[in-house]
Amino acid sequence: MKINKKQINKLILFASILWAACYLIALNVIKEYTLSNEIKVLLSILPTITFGILIYFYITSINLMDEVEKRIHLEAAVFAFSTGLALIMTIGIVDTAFDLNKEIFGTKKIFIYLFILYFIGVALSKNKYLFKK
Amino acid sequence: MKNLIKVERAKKNWTQEYLANKIGVSRQSMNAIEAGKFIPSTLLALKMAKVFGTSVESIFQLEKSDTLL
């Protein structure tokens, strides 16, 4: 079955909601309840599986893009990866020096910054190719 | 590198959207290529030449700044 851009965007939205729901549920259940180690491991893996589904749909959507759109997402990924590395490195050093608030800069939250950096990268690249005069 | 997509389009009286649909890119991408912000692949350049009924060299040309080694 051949899938079109509209359909894949809907699937990405659905997979994003599914993953976010799984992540929040797993995080809160692990935090709030006393569970056996086996259940904890299962709950920890659950968001990874749904995130894998999201990545699969995302890669499928990349294959449907034209070359300008592919370049935009490639540049966004490069931007997010390099600035993300710099961010993690800086947080690590600053945390050693000042013991940062784990609720803001802990490993449970840091991936959110990477998402934000990716979207900043998309915006910058779109501005370069599609909007800038 | 400069391109003469706009000129070729004007000759055929085609809109950017029409050309974009013919070669399988979005209108925004077509605009980026036409404005010289993005240099297309050989495949896309060949597709463009084919729909215009001309050669790639007549659409895409090197400028003085594109010095050869």
Side-chain angles (χ1 to χ4, degrees):
Chain A
M1 191 186 80
K2 206 173 176 187
I3 201 159
N4 64 35
K5 275 186 181 181
K6 256 188 181 174
Q7 287 169 321
I8 199 70
N9 287 340
K10 277 183 189 170
L11 287 171
I12 288 174
L13 181 67
F14 170 74
S16 305
I17 293 166
L18 181 71
W19 163 69
C22 279
Y23 181 79
L24 292 172
I25 290 166
L27 191 66
N28 284 308
V29 169
I30 290 169
K31 213 169 18 176
E32 299 296 328
Y33 298 96
T34 312
L35 304 161
S36 67
N37 283 346
E38 290 82 7
I39 300 289
K40 279 182 188 171
V41 169
L42 275 176
L43 283 170
S44 304
I45 291 170
L46 190 66
T48 311
I49 296 166
T50 51
F51 193 70
I53 296 167
L54 172 61
I55 294 295
Y56 172 76
F57 289 141
Y58 176 71
I59 291 170
T60 309
S61 84
I62 293 279
N63 289 332
L64 293 173
M65 288 175 184
D66 64 44
E67 50 193 72
V68 181
E69 292 163 334
K70 278 181 185 166
R71 171 73 73 87
I72 287 167
H73 286 271
L74 175 70
E75 286 188 7
V78 170
F79 176 83
F81 181 73
S82 50
T83 52
L85 281 181
L87 178 76
I88 291 167
M89 181 189 70
T90 309
I91 287 173
I93 292 172
V94 176
D95 189 39
T96 308
F98 300 106
D99 200 17
L100 292 171
N101 183 352
K102 296 286 180 289
E103 282 304 309
I104 302 169
F105 297 106
T107 47
K108 281 177 283 181
K109 300 280 167 63
I110 206 152
F111 75 93
I112 297 167
Y113 302 129
L114 301 181
F115 269 111
I116 294 167
L117 289 172
Y118 180 75
F119 288 117
I120 291 171
V122 169
L124 289 173
S125 199
K126 273 193 172 181
N127 183 50
K128 180 177 157 190
Y129 290 112
L130 304 181
F131 306 129
K132 213 173 176 180
K133 286 276 171 192
Chain B
M1 192 167 82
K2 66 173 181 177
N3 71 68
L4 299 170
I5 299 169
K6 201 173 181 176
V7 176
E8 292 294 331
R9 239 177 6 90
K11 279 184 200 168
K12 302 256 180 199
N13 204 20
W14 288 351
T15 61
Q16 267 188 352
E17 191 158 18
Y18 182 78
L19 175 60
N21 287 336
K22 265 190 161 306
I23 60 169
V25 298
S26 69
R27 192 203 55 79
Q28 284 180 315
S29 297
M30 191 64 248
N31 186 47
I33 294 165
E34 193 174 295
K37 292 178 202 167
F38 181 85
I39 297 169
S41 65
T42 313
L43 178 70
L44 205 57
L46 284 166
K47 279 184 184 178
M48 230 178 274
K50 192 172 184 182
V51 296
F52 282 135
T54 184
S55 64
V56 174
E57 293 92 329
S58 61
I59 306 172
F60 298 96
Q61 289 162 6
L62 288 174
E63 288 180 291
K64 277 185 183 170
S65 55
D66 302 317
T67 49
L68 298 170
L69 291 174

